[in-house]
Amino acid sequence: MTTPNKTPPGADPKQLERTGTVREIGSQAVWSLSSCKTGFGVDQLRDDNLETYWQSDGSQPHLVNIQFRRKTTVKTLCIYADYKSDESYTPSKISVRVGNNFHNLQEIRQLELVEPSGWIHVPLTDNHKKPTRTFMIQIAVLANHQNGRDTHMRQIKIYTPVEESSIGKFPRYTTIDFMMYRSIR
């Protein structure tokens, strides 16, 4: 009998942002949770601190709901999990769903995690690597390691592609560039 390989950690999502190809859009959404222990809610999930976490408080599945005010293009979801710190609270099976609202969510990814330690990158693209357009993302924790009941998630980030013009990226102009342009005219 073979043991499954541990889930390898992905790169720090801030490295993705530094490439200029994506930007984090979690602040544009309304976040809600199926349950949480007092002091371990959305604020901890979004505070950029890997030492804090959301802790659920109830029966599975544990849900993170992310709702945008308008249909939004999403490319990558990044989740930080740490088996060494969280043990039985660490998710082992996650479902990612998208849709217009709670009533028409469709699963687009299901992940099996084996003792994850670090960032997990979940592509939110179709078979042609085209980003998804959606009003809502739901992350459902279906199972935890060691049959744990409640779950910990330390951070969640959502990325959209940076738009490019038909001739490439828009150039970045400085104040001096605009002053020179105005003096020429």
Side-chain angles (χ1 to χ4, degrees):
M1 184 170 123
T2 61
T3 3
N5 292 332
K6 288 185 180 181
T7 302
D12 182 337
K14 291 184 187 208
Q15 290 175 340
L16 291 176
E17 286 185 85
R18 285 187 212 111
T19 66
T21 59
V22 295
R23 66 184 170 87
E24 210 279 332
I25 56 169
S27 63
Q28 297 174 17
V30 175
W31 293 66
S32 62
L33 305 167
S34 55
S35 67
C36 69
K37 295 239 185 229
T38 304
F40 296 90
V42 171
D43 291 341
Q44 290 69 36
L45 194 56
R46 297 284 303 152
D47 67 2
D48 283 326
N49 182 349
L50 300 179
E51 300 301 314
T52 63
Y53 50 85
W54 159 54
Q55 181 173 327
S56 63
D57 187 19
S59 57
Q60 292 174 345
H62 304 300
L63 307 174
V64 178
N65 302 302
I66 306 160
Q67 294 175 279
F68 296 98
R69 289 176 175 81
R70 63 178 68 92
K71 202 166 204 177
T72 302
T73 302
V74 290
K75 182 177 182 179
T76 306
L77 173 71
C78 295
I79 300 169
Y80 192 89
D82 187 358
Y83 178 78
K84 287 180 182 168
S85 296
D86 299 326
E87 296 180 345
S88 67
Y89 289 91
T90 309
S92 61
K93 189 174 188 179
I94 295 176
S95 169
V96 179
R97 307 159 181 168
V98 297
N100 291 330
N101 55 52
F102 286 99
H103 305 291
N104 71 353
L105 292 170
Q106 299 286 315
E107 181 176 274
I108 61 168
R109 294 279 184 270
Q110 192 171 102
L111 298 107
E112 299 278 342
L113 305 175
V114 180
E115 298 181 10
S117 180
W119 288 101
I120 300 149
H121 294 249
V122 183
L124 300 177
T125 54
D126 63 17
N127 293 336
H128 304 289
K129 301 205 186 251
K130 185 178 175 189
T132 301
R133 289 195 38 82
T134 189
F135 280 101
M136 182 174 181
I137 301 169
Q138 183 179 76
I139 303 164
V141 177
L142 306 176
N144 289 321
H145 284 76
Q146 304 169 13
N147 295 315
R149 187 182 129 198
D150 287 321
T151 200
H152 287 179
M153 276 197 196
R154 292 184 172 263
Q155 292 292 300
I156 297 176
K157 304 287 182 191
I158 305 161
Y159 291 93
T160 189
V162 172
E163 296 296 320
E164 292 187 13
S165 72
S166 58
I167 56 171
K169 289 186 180 180
F170 292 108
R172 296 189 186 266
Y173 293 106
T174 64
T175 306
I176 293 170
D177 293 328
F178 284 114
M179 290 171 50
M180 290 175 62
Y181 173 76
R182 284 182 46 194
S183 65
I184 295 170
R185 296 184 76 194

